[in-house]
Amino acid sequence: MTTVAVTGASGFCGSHVAVAAAARGAGVLCVGRRPGPVGRHVPWDAAREVPDLSGADLVVHCAAAVGDPVPGSRAEETMLSVNVHGTARLLRAAAGRPVVWVSSASVYAPAAGRSPITEDHPVRGHLNAYGRTKAAGEALALAAGAVVLRPRAVYGAGDPHLVPRLLSRVRHGRIVLPGPSVPLSLTAVENLADACLLAACWPPGAYNIADPAPYERDEAVRAVLDAHGVRARISHLPLRAAHAAADAARFLARLRPGAEPSLTRYAVDQLARSVVLDVSGARARGWTARRTISDYTAALAHREEPARPARERGTPAGGGSGPRAVRGPERGRHSPM
C-alpha cells in the first residue's frame, strides 16, 4: 500500500488531499502542527523543524503561510520561515521521495490583456510577500526535481479564505468590486486534490491547475452569494479609487502593529485583472478538472456540502445554477494554498 505524507493536512487544501488519498486506499501521514482528518499525525512546525517522513512513499506539500501582511511585519517574517526555509527543510527530509509542491498562480508577474497564462509566463513582480515567498519556495522545489502545481483562488467545502472574505464584504445589501467584470480562472479544491495525487507520476516541472473554463467575475460572485442566501447588488469602484483605498488601508494598518490591511493592491489586482490559466500541460498528463462552481453552489442549495475539514492553524494561510463559464483557450496563517 502506498503511503502519502500530506503537509498542512489539518488545513483546507491539505485536508481534502488527505481524504482523497485515503479514499483511494493509500495510507496517510498528516504532517503538521495538528492532526488531519484521516491517517496518522506526524507533528511538524514548518517554521522551525525538519519533518519526519519515515514510511512515506510520496510527499504532497500543502502547508504554507498565507495572507497579505504589511511589509516588514512579523507575519511577513513567518511567510519567509514557512514558505521558503520550511520548504528547504522539507526537501531535505524527502530524501529522494517524489514531491508534489502546491504553489499558487500568485507567483506569476502581473500581465495586461486576456491571453491565457502558460507555465513559462515570467515569475517576478510580485505584489506582496505571499507571492514572493511562494515563488522562492517553488524555485527550491523545482531545483530539487519536484512537481509544482499552480492553482488560482482555490474554493470549496471548508474554504476559510476566499468565500468568507467575499461574504464579509457585503454591506447594506451591496458588494463593491474593483473595476468592471473580467474573466477569471478559479480552482475547485477537489480538482486540486485530484492533481496532487496524480502528479507524482508526472515529469518534474510546473503545471497550472484550474477549473475547466474561466468564469465571468461578477456572475461567479453573484452565484456564490445567492447560494449562501445573501442578496446583494454588485457595484463597481473605479480602479484608481480602489488603489487609493488600498493605499489608505495600508497606511492605517501600519499604525496598528500586527494588523493586516482591510484592502491591499494585491487584493484589488486579484479581482480586477483578468487571469486565465492554460491547463493544457496537466491535461496532457491525464488530469481532468471534474468540478465547477456550479457543483459547489448546487451542493449548498441542496444542503449537500460535505462537512467542513478542520480549519487552518496558526497565525499569518456540474449542475445547478452556477455562473456562465467563458469558453475559449484555456495557508500569515499556516494554510495549504
Side-chain angles (χ1 to χ4, degrees):
M1 179 176 68
T2 299
T3 298
V4 182
V6 182
T7 70
S10 67
F12 173 41
C13 298
S15 63
H16 280 271
V17 173
V19 168
R24 299 180 191 194
V28 180
L29 303 177
C30 294
V31 184
R33 292 193 292 172
R34 293 183 181 178
V38 296
R40 179 166 66 86
H41 179 216
V42 178
W44 180 44
D45 184 344
R48 297 177 177 83
E49 302 165 350
V50 175
D52 179 5
L53 301 178
S54 302
D57 302 301
L58 163 67
V59 180
V60 180
H61 185 47
C62 295
V66 306
D68 199 0
V70 174
S73 65
R74 176 175 292 184
E76 187 175 52
E77 294 176 3
T78 297
M79 285 186 178
L80 180 65
S81 297
V82 173
N83 297 349
V84 184
H85 304 320
T87 292
R89 287 186 282 267
L90 176 90
L91 294 170
R92 188 159 68 249
R97 298 176 179 86
V99 174
V100 177
W101 199 91
V102 179
S103 185
S104 167
S106 294
V107 303
Y108 288 127
R114 299 190 177 187
S115 298
I117 292 177
T118 61
E119 290 84 353
D120 59 1
H121 186 85
V123 174
R124 61 170 185 255
H126 308 108
L127 298 177
N128 65 359
Y130 178 67
R132 288 193 300 273
T133 57
K134 289 298 282 187
E138 77 161 39
L140 295 176
L142 289 169
V147 171
V148 167
L149 304 182
R150 293 170 176 166
R152 184 182 190 276
V154 182
Y155 68 90
D159 165 25
H161 297 298
L162 191 64
V163 171
R165 287 176 179 173
L166 177 68
L167 298 176
S168 72
R169 295 295 178 183
V170 176
R171 296 285 190 277
H172 307 295
R174 185 175 71 149
I175 185 169
V176 180
L177 300 177
S181 183
V182 293
L184 295 173
S185 283
L186 305 175
T187 307
V189 69
E190 295 89 351
N191 293 337
L192 176 59
D194 286 346
C196 286
L197 297 177
L198 287 172
C201 300
W202 299 354
Y207 298 84
N208 291 332
I209 301 295
D211 288 1
Y215 306 96
E216 281 293 342
R217 183 197 69 185
D218 286 9
E219 292 185 24
V221 168
R222 186 173 293 109
V224 171
L225 293 178
D226 288 348
H228 282 271
V230 176
R231 299 293 178 261
R233 178 171 57 89
I234 296 176
S235 299
H236 300 105
L237 184 67
L239 278 180
R240 182 174 295 182
H243 287 146
D247 291 342
R250 175 177 170 177
F251 174 79
L252 292 174
R254 286 184 176 278
L255 302 179
R256 296 175 293 152
E260 284 197 8
S262 59
L263 181 66
T264 66
R265 283 186 172 251
Y266 171 78
V268 171
D269 178 80
Q270 291 291 290
L271 286 169
R273 179 169 57 89
S274 177
V275 178
V276 175
L277 299 180
D278 183 327
V279 299
S280 58
R283 283 179 172 169
R285 300 298 169 187
W287 170 81
T288 300
R290 60 186 177 88
R291 297 278 293 189
T292 68
I293 280 188
S294 293
D295 298 304
Y296 172 71
T297 57
L300 286 174
H302 294 92
R303 300 182 182 276
E304 295 172 354
E305 183 182 15
R308 290 173 64 90
R311 289 292 296 268
E312 292 171 301
R313 62 196 184 281
T315 57
S321 56
R324 175 174 59 87
V326 179
R327 301 298 172 188
E330 299 285 297
R331 266 147 5 302
R333 293 183 175 93
H334 287 239
S335 153
M337 163 60 188

